Amino acid sequence: MLIKQVIAIIIFLVVMLAIISEKVNRAIAAMAGALLMIIFNILSVEQGLHHIDFNTIGVLIGMMLFVSVVKNSGVFEYIAIFSAKKSKGDPWKIMLCFVILTAVLSAVLDNVTTVLLIGPMTIVITQILNINPTPFLVTQILASNIGGTATLIGDPPNIMIGSAANLSFADFIINLGPIVLIILFSTILCFKFMFKKQLFVDDKSKEKILNLDEKKAIKDKPLLIKSIIMIIFILLGFILHNVLNLESSIVALTGATIMMFIGKQDVDEILSSIEWSTIAFFGGLFVIVGGLVEVGIINNIAQYLISATSGHLVLTMLVILWLSAIISSFLDNIPFVATLIPLILTMQGQGIDVMPIWWATSLGACLGGNGTLIGASANIVLANVGQKNGYPISFKDYFKIGFPLMIFSILISTIYLLIRF
């Protein structure tokens, strides 16, 4: 087992270095790592498939297809032009508007769906203003993970925690809503300071925006009406998917299938819009992390964590918060949270009040996703939107912004948890 653990760690580190160096395409690096995990018998093909989160993959594919149909109506151009005109072409006001919209939608939808909707609008508006969309995309990545922390359905770890601890939608809003608002406001202030010099638009571009007629952006009015109706149904589906006993992927894929049927678009063209490099990256990453789970590395980390704090509530709460955040920056947070849940339940069985630990796990795992470009699903999706349109976001450039702001948000969370509990 020790040899397998060493091999698994080496494979993981080599893949991470390949992704960070950006000398190898991230999808190829992840797929190669997954194959090496199987070739070196760290896990079997069946075990590898078991570790792939097909719910996340399904949500990604479903919403990619849905957005591909909807964009043919011109709705993204309409919203982009409308918001730009209301902001008088001021890039900071536009950024602020999109950050708040991303955070709110990430709380009521999931953050992957949100960025798939917001991303295309961002590209359209920045192209009209003739400015670099990268700062806008980076701020939306951060806002999506912050907003997703606030609710039961905003981020997958919260769904898992809610199920294990029997917590309701209202419990998350009451306990995490206030701190999420504080973190979002603080992060927005940081954005103003960090991107002030990059957000410059000349008067000619502003005038160009003000002269645009957003109504002319609508290319297909019947498709627009169908899209709005379907967006409402999908939104309700995401909010009620636990009540309906449906996975969020089923909601997304059903919405996409209905939209392709009633939208009367070229189905082959719509299907070709799926970003297979993103899907391949996630599939490979799930298998690599699955390898670490199978040889007991993640479980060892969690066990060591509990024993090191000797069951001291406040210390355990803070260690879990920080450890979850750091690990979730580089690893997928789903298997780590899945490993922590039975340990927290064991502590509960020993008569310890574990409620503060549940909230620490949620804050650490969800906000930790902001640490690196591979920390959360939304990060990868928006990075690929930028790359597809000729504005790649590098691992290093994102790390310089994302990691310090992630640490900042965890510091605020630490103060909140100490005061609250």
Side-chain angles (χ1 to χ4, degrees), residues 8 16 68 79 85 87 95 131 134 140 151 197 203-204 265 272 302 314 326 331 348 352 356 377 383 412:
M16 288 300 110
S68 189
I79 294 170
K85 284 179 77 173
S87 304
M95 179 181 276
I131 54 175
T134 303
Q140 286 159 29
T151 67
K197 291 180 182 176
D203 292 335
K204 205 173 180 182
Q265 304 294 302
S272 69
V314 175
I326 300 298
L331 283 177
Q348 186 176 346
I352 298 170
S377 307
I412 296 172

Side-chain angles (χ1 to χ4, degrees), residues 241-258:
H241 75 93
N242 277 349
V243 178
L244 299 169
N245 200 25
L246 291 173
E247 293 278 8
S248 50
S249 57
I250 300 300
V251 174
L253 289 166
T254 302
T257 304
I258 294 170

Side-chain angles (χ1 to χ4, degrees), residues 58-219:
V59 169
L60 280 168
I61 292 174
M63 293 315 298
M64 282 174 183
L65 292 171
F66 181 78
V67 168
S68 189
V69 177
V70 170
K71 74 177 181 185
N72 290 335
S73 69
V75 65
F76 297 133
E77 288 88 341
Y78 178 89
I79 294 170
I81 293 167
F82 180 80
S83 61
K85 284 179 77 173
K86 287 293 176 185
S87 304
K88 303 266 193 295
D90 182 335
W92 164 245
K93 287 181 183 175
I94 295 167
M95 179 181 276
L96 183 62
C97 174
F98 276 28
V99 162
I100 293 169
L101 183 62
T102 302
V104 171
L105 287 179
S106 292
V108 293
L109 292 170
D110 65 285
N111 46 20
V112 171
T113 302
T114 298
V115 298
L116 280 167
L117 292 170
I118 299 288
M121 295 186 217
T122 306
I123 297 298
V124 170
I125 202 165
T126 50
Q127 284 176 342
I128 293 169
L129 288 169
N130 196 30
I131 54 175
N132 186 353
T134 303
F136 290 80
L137 296 174
V138 168
T139 56
Q140 286 159 29
I141 287 172
L142 291 153
S144 70
N145 291 316
I146 293 169
T149 309
T151 67
L152 175 68
I153 59 170
D155 222 353
N158 284 0
I159 297 171
M160 296 162 68
I161 291 165
S163 175
N166 198 25
L167 297 167
S168 68
F169 195 93
D171 289 329
F172 276 86
I173 292 286
I174 292 164
N175 286 281
L176 298 185
I179 186 59
V180 165
L181 284 174
I182 292 166
I183 290 168
L184 181 63
F185 178 73
S186 305
T187 307
I188 287 170
L189 289 178
C190 293
F191 290 158
K192 176 75 172 172
F193 175 74
M194 292 164 78
F195 297 116
K196 187 167 60 177
K197 291 180 182 176
Q198 296 178 48
L199 300 176
F200 175 76
V201 174
D202 57 51
D203 292 335
K204 205 173 180 182
S205 295
K206 284 185 181 178
E207 196 177 326
K208 189 179 169 186
I209 284 282
L210 295 172
N211 290 334
L212 289 171
D213 183 359
E214 62 269 27
K215 290 174 187 173
K216 287 182 182 174
I218 302 300
K219 303 166 197 164

Side-chain angles (χ1 to χ4, degrees), residues 209-314:
I209 284 282
L210 295 172
N211 290 334
L212 289 171
D213 183 359
E214 62 269 27
K215 290 174 187 173
K216 287 182 182 174
I218 302 300
K219 303 166 197 164
D220 188 333
K221 199 169 183 182
L223 180 61
L224 174 66
I225 294 164
K226 292 171 189 173
S227 300
I228 292 168
I229 293 167
M230 282 307 301
I231 286 170
I232 293 167
F233 275 114
I234 289 175
L235 177 60
L236 287 171
F238 278 125
I239 293 171
L240 300 172
H241 75 93
N242 277 349
V243 178
L244 299 169
N245 200 25
L246 291 173
E247 293 278 8
S248 50
S249 57
I250 300 300
V251 174
L253 289 166
T254 302
T257 304
I258 294 170
M259 203 66 230
M260 285 193 289
F261 181 73
I262 65 174
K264 296 176 182 176
Q265 304 294 302
D266 185 335
V267 175
D268 289 332
E269 185 186 321
I270 299 302
L271 289 170
S272 69
S273 69
I274 296 173
E275 293 172 22
W276 290 111
S277 62
T278 305
I279 304 301
F281 175 79
F282 278 117
L285 202 60
F286 283 133
V287 174
I288 292 167
V289 174
L292 298 180
V293 172
E294 288 296 330
V295 295
I297 290 167
I298 290 181
N299 187 56
N300 288 347
I301 292 169
Q303 291 282 4
Y304 177 76
L305 157 73
I306 301 298
S307 62
T309 56
S310 305
H312 187 280
L313 182 62
V314 175

